[in-house]
Amino acid sequence: MTSWNDVEEAEPQFAARVRAILVARKHLTIATLRADGSPRISGIEVEFADGQLGFGSMPNARKGADLLRDPRFALHSATVDPPEGAPAQWPGEAKLAGRARCTGALDGPAPGLAFVADVQEVVHTHLNEAGDRLVVEFWHPGRGLRRVERE
């Protein structure tokens, strides 16, 4: 299993940028797979703790049932537009894909299931310093960090 800590150890600056985007807003979007294989999009909150990226599912929520049946997921940060007149200041967006591992009941007052991410891909999409090219940085376990610029 590849934990969030593994990403931080391999690429600390990249991981810090991605983490900042993921925690900048409370609500993110997660994609799971329904029983028929079609995608389901749900809102979600995440937490970084003890080197893990974790999230929960309320009792009887479909996303939790999806993840118990098929642990594959994709997580997407909140999306904001680049600042008018200063596109290079746009923090970009972050995406993470992997497999969710159920760790049992949620801690705290809310009932539900807790999950941690087995990280298989981390992506940061942003603009270059001039603000005129799209930059896609992506990290995979065992393959490291790659960067692609597009017009």
Side-chain angles (χ1 to χ4, degrees):
M1 182 173 132
T2 302
S3 69
W4 179 255
N5 187 60
D6 296 324
V7 181
E8 290 179 320
E9 287 181 359
E11 295 292 339
Q13 291 178 333
F14 171 75
R17 288 193 315 269
V18 169
R19 182 176 178 157
I21 292 167
L22 292 174
V23 300
R25 303 281 190 278
K26 184 175 184 175
H27 298 109
L28 309 175
T29 304
I30 190 168
T32 59
L33 295 170
R34 298 170 191 255
D36 67 2
S38 63
R40 181 189 316 275
I41 301 292
S42 304
I44 198 153
E45 299 172 20
V46 300
E47 176 183 64
F48 290 90
D50 302 322
Q52 300 285 350
L53 170 62
F55 48 87
S57 178
M58 294 171 28
N60 303 314
R62 300 312 315 145
K63 69 183 158 202
D66 290 347
L67 292 170
L68 290 173
R69 185 184 53 264
D70 186 331
R72 293 177 292 172
F73 74 93
L75 180 71
H76 194 283
S77 67
T79 302
V80 296
D81 292 334
E84 189 69 36
Q89 293 177 13
W90 179 52
E93 59 186 30
K95 298 173 231 172
L96 187 142
R99 294 180 178 269
R101 182 171 49 90
C102 184
T103 58
L106 283 171
D107 290 334
L113 295 175
F115 294 89
V116 295
D118 176 4
V119 179
Q120 296 177 332
E121 177 182 61
V122 182
V123 179
H124 179 209
T125 304
H126 55 98
L127 297 174
N128 66 1
E129 289 182 19
D132 59 1
R133 294 178 65 98
L134 186 67
V135 177
V136 182
E137 294 178 282
F138 47 99
W139 180 88
H140 295 95
R143 291 189 283 178
L145 183 64
R146 292 188 54 210
R147 177 186 170 109
V148 174
E149 285 196 32
R150 299 184 177 146
E151 287 188 41

